[in-house]
Amino acid sequence: SLDTIERGRADGLDTDLNLRFSPLVFRQANLAGFAGLVANLAAWVPDGADVCELYAGVGAMGLALRPKCRRVRCSESNPNAPDGFELAKRDQERRLGNE
């Protein structure tokens, strides 16, 4: 079964992501710490930036940064991650009107 995590909103970030993790992908255990890390990372990413996230998993960082970026590319070698990434991306596009 897939697990869904929902978060609040922060300046310039989409932290309302509906992330879906299969049992075969990495999942951050410390969600509060991770949210702080993404907020700190966002301070270093200029508005309109092009971002490439390596080892993106289900896209938690890249999708969170996406609203403030011109383009985000996510790369992942785990064959179990793309389904969760695509579900989260489609949900984000629906919520933010970027379809």
Side-chain angles (χ1 to χ4, degrees):
S1 78
L2 297 177
D3 199 5
T4 302
I5 296 174
E6 297 178 337
R7 298 185 187 90
R9 188 164 292 282
D11 275 345
L13 296 175
D14 180 9
T15 54
D16 242 353
L17 293 171
N18 291 314
L19 299 173
R20 292 157 177 97
F21 300 87
S22 86
L24 301 173
V25 298
F26 173 78
R27 176 183 175 146
Q28 179 57 250
N30 182 347
L31 296 179
F34 183 72
L37 181 143
V38 173
N40 287 334
L41 175 64
W44 290 91
V45 177
D47 290 344
D50 289 342
V51 170
C52 179
E53 180 186 1
L54 302 177
Y55 309 101
V58 297
M61 286 188 197
L63 291 174
L65 293 169
R66 192 173 175 213
K68 75 178 290 180
C69 296
R70 183 174 72 94
R71 181 174 59 177
V72 173
R73 296 192 65 165
C74 294
S75 175
E76 175 58 59
S77 61
N78 183 339
N80 301 292
D83 289 342
F85 175 83
E86 287 300 324
L87 288 169
K89 182 180 168 210
R90 280 196 301 265
D91 179 70
Q92 182 185 56
E93 289 169 346
R94 180 191 54 77
R95 285 183 304 98
L96 301 180
N98 296 336
E99 292 184 280

